Amino acid sequence: MDAHRKRPTVTELRLSAFKSHRGASFPLGPVTLFAGASGSGKSSALQAYEALARLGSGAALGEVFPDPAGCVPERAGADAQGRRGFRIGCTVDGPAGPVRLDLAVQAEPELRIVGERLTADGRTLLTTALRDPGRSSVQAAWHTGGAVAVTRAPLPDDRLGTALLPLRVAGSTEGQRQVLAAAEQVVVALRSVFACDPQPQRMRAPVPVGGGRLRGGCDNLAEVLRRTRTECVTRHAALIAAARAGCTGPVDDLTAEDLADGRVRAVLGRGAQGATPVGRLGEGELRYLALALVLLTGPDVLAVDPAAELLPAQQVLTVLADGFDRCLDARQTGELVRLAVMSCGRGHIRLVGAVADGDGARGVAGVSVVDLVP
């Protein structure tokens, strides 16, 4: 088996009934870009992926879906009990082979998980179902494979059952070990996700020195540059080269400057022209620099909480970048696509992004463009 395939990786996203999507299934490669006009469902696809990731990390359903009614497909009717909901899922490849996770969520009259299914090799490893609407639990059944073929127990209706299995399954039979391997593979892949949408208006001001991990909005860009400059000369040189390719004017450095009040600000070195605080750059240049930094770093620098039970070399970080080309010109988008292909080609990082126009990425080796129509 290829070394890259041994790392748990989400290879398919299914939106059976979610917002504008019905019966949709999207294969995901090392670099996948959803392309389409406004309203085509690009952001919805990334939101579903992020929701699965957060549930896999143990988040409660209400935290993940603050507006559950908005996730129900438009004009979806209610059943006889007045219930409406949505369905999402994914496939995760890894040492346990392809593992499918499918989730049914009731949005109305109250938010709860009403069905979950985990399958591998044609065998159902976990199912949950809402048996008693008056209880805040679902009835779960998972494969045992010993003297008792199936174990049944209640699970909370506001948590992903797959993420709870490692705490419930002893692993004393071959069947239980198969369940654990599949569940852990899914959880590892879903936890290794960094949702990123740089906010230029929050990146301009100096920031206090903190933990040095880049947040999803990239507002602490200066603080992270201060760290990366000293920790990895090679990666920082690549970042300077990216800045030179995507920013207007000469660039010979990108660093953080300590201020008298204890804060730091990011600056572009301009050679004989001096230095330019990045706060003076345009929105496109700021988003470009932030996304380049994300693609050139890793989970130790990004604010993501990967699974502790596996070494970083055994995990793949997936970057979710909504508005990947927002405010960027064709030159900047092309350079980011090049960086993504280079970084993702090493097998330790993947990119799922949303773009308004995928023309600049079509035909690029290693890039999959998914065209969506409103």
Side-chain angles (χ1 to χ4, degrees):
M1 180 182 290
D2 185 275
H4 291 183
R5 287 181 57 81
K6 293 181 181 178
R7 305 182 187 123
T9 304
V10 177
T11 55
E12 181 187 40
L13 177 67
R14 288 186 299 280
L15 306 180
S16 301
F18 184 78
K19 295 195 173 183
S20 62
H21 298 279
R22 285 183 178 271
S25 177
F26 305 112
L28 303 178
V31 179
T32 304
L33 299 176
F34 288 92
S38 177
S40 61
K42 308 184 301 292
S43 296
S44 297
L46 268 66
Q47 288 164 9
Y49 194 141
E50 184 181 2
L52 288 168
R54 294 182 63 191
L55 290 171
S57 298
L61 200 62
E63 300 173 22
V64 177
F65 298 108
D67 178 27
C71 299
V72 179
E74 190 176 4
R75 293 182 293 278
D79 65 11
Q81 286 74 41
R83 298 175 299 190
R84 298 198 315 149
F86 52 91
R87 290 178 288 130
I88 58 178
C90 64
T91 299
V92 177
D93 273 353
V99 179
R100 289 174 57 102
L101 170 68
D102 292 287
L103 192 66
V105 178
Q106 174 186 292
E108 298 171 343
E110 60 181 317
L111 180 64
R112 62 200 315 177
I113 294 174
V114 293
E116 180 178 347
R117 184 180 296 270
L118 188 71
T119 57
D121 293 330
R123 171 173 286 170
T124 299
L125 303 178
L126 167 72
T127 59
T128 71
L130 180 65
R131 302 297 186 194
D132 184 353
R135 295 178 179 269
S136 58
S137 63
V138 291
Q139 183 64 36
W142 58 84
H143 178 62
T144 304
V148 178
V150 174
T151 299
R152 302 182 190 278
L155 291 178
D157 65 358
D158 67 339
R159 305 279 173 171
L160 187 70
T162 298
L164 299 176
L165 284 181
L167 304 175
R168 297 294 191 102
V169 180
S172 55
T173 68
E174 181 59 33
Q176 289 179 341
R177 287 189 285 273
Q178 184 182 11
V179 170
L180 280 175
E184 289 172 353
Q185 177 169 295
V186 170
V187 170
V188 167
L190 291 180
R191 288 186 61 174
S192 303
V193 167
F194 181 69
C196 174
D197 188 5
Q199 302 296 311
Q201 69 274 17
R202 296 166 55 192
M203 296 165 57
R204 300 184 185 282
V207 296
V209 177
R213 302 185 75 194
L214 189 67
R215 296 188 283 265
C218 301
D219 51 288
N220 61 332
L221 174 75
E223 175 203 358
V224 177
L225 285 174
R226 185 177 186 270
R227 172 188 172 186
T228 58
R229 181 179 179 85
T230 59
E231 288 189 354
C232 185
V233 175
T234 301
R235 285 184 177 179
H236 195 78
L239 182 60
I240 293 172
R244 188 177 299 121
C247 294
T248 301
V251 175
D252 64 4
D253 199 4
L254 176 60
T255 188
E257 180 181 79
D258 292 315
L259 302 179
D261 61 3
R263 296 182 300 167
V264 293
R265 68 175 181 177
V267 295
L268 280 178
R270 300 289 197 182
Q273 297 182 18
T276 301
V278 299
R280 297 180 65 89
L281 301 180
E283 288 195 0
E285 289 178 306
L286 284 171
R287 284 186 59 87
Y288 170 83
L289 287 177
L291 289 167
L293 176 60
V294 169
L295 292 171
L296 288 169
T297 55
D300 56 331
V301 176
L302 306 177
V304 60
D305 184 25
E309 57 267 25
L310 287 181
L311 296 172
Q314 297 175 297
Q315 301 183 50
V316 177
L317 173 71
T318 298
V319 174
L320 300 182
D322 197 6
F324 185 69
D325 61 347
R326 188 185 308 139
C327 301
L328 305 186
D329 59 30
R331 169 183 56 110
Q332 293 167 327
T333 301
E335 180 63 20
L336 284 181
V337 169
R338 186 193 69 80
L339 285 178
V341 170
M342 178 189 71
S343 297
C344 298
R346 298 172 181 146
H348 292 283
I349 188 172
R350 291 166 73 90
L351 170 69
V352 179
V355 295
D357 182 358
D359 288 348
R362 298 183 201 281
V364 176
V367 180
S368 301
V369 178
V370 179
D371 289 298
L372 299 178
V373 178

